Amino acid sequence: MLSQAMIDRLNQQINLEMFSSHLYLQMSSWCAYKALDGTATFLSQHADEEMMHMRRLIDYLQETGALATLGGMEAPPTEFNSLQEMFEKIYIHEQSITRKINDLVHLANTEPDYSTLQFLQWYVAEQHQEEFLFKSILDKIELIGVEGQGLFFIDREIGTLAANKGKEATSMSPASA
């Protein structure tokens, strides 16, 4: 049985994950509008991942007999000054999500709620990967630049990340086993 504080915090996290999905989908749309097709595909995939993160939380709450509640949310921004600015915002956003996950882990450890603590370990590892991924994209942007052909090469690099992610998903599907 989860405490009310834990239920409330997990529901907050559900809504943060939903916002993340909408944010990345909006960013994907902006990239498609700017003819950055590789980045648009990558961010669309990432939006799907965030929705899966949300679904995991909902499933966990339901498994524990708690009510998952979806709240309203503010609309994500629709305009960005540059691809670099957009990825800087993503990196800052992912760092804030990491802090929220860490707060959940702290609460689970303090209560103590070892089942939830164990469940949250996946999110801890996932957030480490997310921050690493977006920091590496920012590093590539810094290295290649976004002036002239640099933007084309960055978009192609990010598109390669999306293509590789698609290959990973295909190779892990039961049909390919």
Side-chain angles (χ1 to χ4, degrees):
M1 188 83 175
L2 298 177
S3 71
Q4 191 58 52
M6 183 58 73
I7 292 169
D8 292 346
R9 295 286 285 284
L10 289 169
N11 274 313
Q12 287 172 7
Q13 193 64 38
I14 285 170
N15 288 284
L16 285 171
E17 299 294 343
M18 185 173 21
F19 176 78
S20 296
S21 179
H22 282 81
L23 176 65
Y24 296 141
L25 200 53
Q26 182 64 62
M27 289 173 165
S28 172
S29 181
W30 181 84
C31 289
Y33 178 71
K34 297 290 185 178
L36 299 167
D37 298 335
T39 307
T41 299
F42 171 80
L43 288 169
S44 179
Q45 288 175 349
H46 216 71
D48 291 345
E49 272 186 44
E50 297 299 330
M51 194 58 69
M52 187 269 299
H53 297 172
M54 181 195 77
R55 297 294 306 215
R56 276 178 84 112
L57 287 159
I58 290 171
D59 290 346
Y60 181 73
L61 279 171
Q62 290 171 344
E63 289 167 5
T64 62
L67 177 64
T69 56
L70 304 180
M73 68 178 156
E74 65 180 85
T78 58
E79 291 292 326
F80 306 94
N81 293 320
S82 68
L83 191 66
Q84 182 168 358
E85 176 200 59
M86 187 185 72
F87 276 102
E88 287 168 352
K89 288 182 183 298
I90 290 172
Y91 185 57
I92 290 166
H93 176 75
E94 288 297 336
Q95 289 174 319
S96 74
I97 297 296
T98 298
R99 283 190 299 279
K100 295 293 186 182
I101 294 295
N102 289 340
D103 290 346
L104 272 168
V105 168
H106 179 72
L107 177 62
N109 199 37
T110 304
E111 285 198 352
D113 178 350
Y114 298 117
S115 179
T116 302
L117 186 62
Q118 181 64 33
F119 169 75
L120 290 171
Q121 292 311 304
W122 182 87
Y123 286 90
V124 171
E126 181 68 14
Q127 281 310 119
H128 173 76
Q129 291 173 347
E130 301 271 291
E131 283 192 35
F132 177 77
L133 171 66
F134 288 112
K135 178 68 169 98
S136 70
I137 290 172
L138 280 171
D139 290 346
K140 284 184 172 115
I141 289 172
E142 190 69 31
L143 181 67
I144 297 171
V146 289
E147 301 304 317
Q149 293 180 348
L151 191 57
F152 170 80
F153 289 115
I154 287 294
D155 184 55
R156 194 169 74 182
E157 273 295 307
I158 295 170
T160 300
L161 290 172
N164 289 341
K165 188 144 220 68
K167 287 177 189 171
E168 277 178 26
T170 304
S171 69
M172 293 191 307
S173 71
S176 66

